[in-house]
Amino acid sequence: MADNADTTVHPFRIEIPQAQLDDLRTRLDLTRWPDELPDAGWEYGASLPYLRELAAYWRGGYDWRKHEAALNEFPQYLTEIDGARVHFLHVRSPEPDAVPLLLTHGWPGSIVEFLGLIGPLSDPRAHGGDPAQAFHLVIPSIPGFGFSGPTRERGWNVSRTARAWAELMRRLGYERYGAHGGDLGALISPELGRIAPESVIGVHVNAASVGFIPLGPVPDDVQAELTDQERRRLASIATFTTDGFGYNAIQSTRPQTLAYGLTDSPVGQLAWIFEKFKEWTHSSAQLPEDAVDRDVLLTNVMLYWLTGTAGPAARMYYENSHSGDWFPVSRSAVPTAVANFDEDVAIRRWAEQTNTIVRWTEFDRGGHFAALEQPELLTGDIREFFGTLR
């Protein structure tokens, strides 16, 4: 970081001009809808009847100002790190001995993922919990995402983000802290532990993939040793990488081409994100809102739409796939906990190759978005893990 870099932390408040909301409604009114095969359902992608009804609700039933006000109830800040703007929530616990904890979202998520965790984690006394299990929370938007976006230069991959997080926590005066993350956050948080092992007391992840699963074929002799559960997870990984990996291929190779459609069409952005919430929430949910409140999901979409960050967020996939330093090659000595929700695919024998696993929890509920789907279970697991490290 340059010596003359501005390290000031500025208070921030979300104040979206009414003209942007009017523009969104106009664009929704003027949507040019595609055709769909009869009875296609979700087999070819986002369902046309579902998206029509959802867009109508977004246009006439969803109240952004209500959710903007709810977001603004939490203290928010902006700072510049390594040439990028970083937006973050910083919620100090009323408990003086609270442990600092950094929470990192994933894609297609945002800080919205963690709104339901803030109260129970920061102020357990007020939520029927043990005040000795309180946390000071730092919840940043990944560079390129939401109000941290857009990024202005190449190279914002997992490792660079982790280095920025280390600087953010140093800038806030936290010398020792924990880290939690899901999805991309489950890559960034372990990397933060490798970058700043003297500061990170522990890493907690859910929806873990790279660094916690095999990449590439598994030899026959290893497969012969696997449990039935491990074989099921290998099969899930294989299905995902063949039938569910299209978004990754596009975002890792041509994010700019994708960005034109998603930045210009609100329904395009809506479909791109909601299809993933349909696929990645627990399979018992027929529709995304069966697993997560519809307004919460739309607020998450709004953070992409209002900031025009579909492209910058997708660029992280490109930067990861075109860099040589985002896959863990060294074993982290930082105590690491994995919360595997019902359809997560982390496998302990591979996770232990590059992580010091000290806690492994299997849940029989929940999908990829645990903070939204099963906030109580996730909160409890975070509390119990870091309770052993205080």
Side-chain angles (χ1 to χ4, degrees):
M1 190 162 52
D3 292 340
N4 61 351
D6 181 5
T7 61
T8 308
V9 175
H10 305 275
F12 175 76
R13 183 176 177 84
I14 303 171
E15 295 177 326
I16 299 301
Q18 184 60 38
Q20 277 192 261
L21 304 182
D22 294 342
D23 174 75
L24 170 60
R25 293 188 181 99
T26 298
R27 289 171 183 269
L28 289 170
D29 287 338
L30 297 176
T31 299
R32 185 184 183 202
W33 293 96
D35 75 317
E36 183 178 77
L37 293 174
D39 302 318
W42 291 79
E43 183 179 355
Y44 291 79
S47 160
L48 178 59
Y50 176 81
L51 258 292
R52 277 187 176 275
E53 189 276 328
L54 180 62
Y57 175 76
W58 193 12
R59 167 67 175 80
Y62 172 80
D63 182 358
W64 163 253
R65 292 303 185 197
K66 170 185 172 182
H67 297 282
E68 180 183 66
L71 284 164
N72 281 330
E73 291 179 3
F74 301 108
Q76 299 175 63
Y77 303 88
L78 294 178
T79 192
E80 182 178 318
I81 301 176
D82 194 14
R85 180 172 62 183
V86 174
H87 163 258
F88 62 98
L89 309 185
H90 187 195
V91 181
R92 294 276 301 179
S93 172
E95 307 297 339
D97 296 328
V99 170
L101 179 64
L102 190 151
L103 305 177
T104 305
H105 64 84
W107 182 91
S110 66
I111 58 168
V112 171
E113 291 185 54
F114 297 120
L115 297 183
L117 274 60
I118 291 175
L121 287 177
S122 66
D123 192 5
R125 189 190 300 270
H127 292 79
D130 183 353
Q133 294 182 319
F135 298 90
H136 300 306
L137 299 177
V138 179
I139 309 175
S141 301
I142 296 172
F145 288 70
F147 294 105
S148 285
T151 45
R152 302 294 185 185
E153 59 186 9
R154 297 172 182 262
W156 276 102
N157 64 354
V158 162
S159 296
R160 188 169 178 181
T161 301
R163 292 192 294 272
W165 282 185
E167 168 59 20
L168 175 62
M169 296 302 275
R170 186 202 66 76
R171 195 171 292 182
L172 295 176
Y174 294 128
E175 297 179 357
R176 299 278 288 163
Y177 52 87
H180 162 79
D183 189 78
L184 285 174
L187 278 70
I188 295 166
S189 298
E191 185 64 15
L192 176 58
R194 292 182 175 87
I195 287 169
E198 72 288 348
S199 296
V200 179
I201 63 172
V203 170
H204 185 281
V205 297
N206 71 282
S209 57
V210 177
F212 296 84
I213 62 173
L215 295 182
V218 176
D220 291 343
D221 59 329
V222 176
Q223 289 200 42
E225 301 173 355
L226 301 181
T227 66
D228 289 344
Q229 182 189 64
E230 289 171 334
R231 290 192 182 94
R232 286 194 296 272
R233 288 188 176 154
L234 276 186
S236 295
I237 294 167
T239 299
F240 174 73
T241 53
T242 53
D243 188 58
F245 217 50
Y247 79 98
N248 189 298
I250 294 173
Q251 295 191 160
S252 296
T253 57
R254 297 295 185 271
Q256 187 65 31
T257 303
L258 175 68
Y260 295 107
L262 301 192
T263 305
D264 187 59
S265 167
V267 167
Q269 178 69 92
L270 187 69
W272 192 248
I273 289 180
F274 258 73
E275 191 262 342
K276 292 305 165 215
F277 277 95
K278 166 66 168 67
E279 292 294 312
W280 295 353
T281 49
H282 194 271
S283 56
S284 61
Q286 295 301 304
L287 295 172
E289 57 265 40
D290 294 335
V292 182
D293 179 79
R294 177 181 274 199
D295 274 17
V296 172
L297 294 175
L298 285 170
T299 300
N300 179 68
V301 172
M302 287 290 273
L303 291 198
Y304 285 83
W305 175 257
L306 295 172
T307 60
T309 50
R315 280 201 295 266
M316 172 164 269
Y317 285 77
Y318 182 97
E319 301 296 351
N320 285 340
S321 66
H322 288 77
S323 69
D325 66 346
W326 71 283
F327 181 81
V329 294
S330 61
R331 191 170 189 273
S332 171
V334 174
T336 299
V338 174
N340 248 6
F341 287 80
D342 188 37
E343 293 176 355
D344 285 342
V345 294
I347 302 175
R348 184 161 187 163
R349 69 177 67 212
W350 277 281
E352 288 180 334
Q353 293 176 8
T354 52
N355 303 278
T356 300
I357 304 296
V358 299
R359 178 182 175 88
W360 190 279
T361 312
E362 297 282 349
F363 293 103
D364 62 1
R365 286 168 283 166
H368 187 81
F369 303 98
L372 293 172
E373 296 180 67
Q374 297 293 337
E376 297 87 0
L377 293 180
L378 182 60
T379 296
D381 205 66
I382 290 173
R383 285 173 174 169
E384 290 181 23
F385 171 58
F386 286 104
T388 67
L389 302 174
R390 289 172 181 260

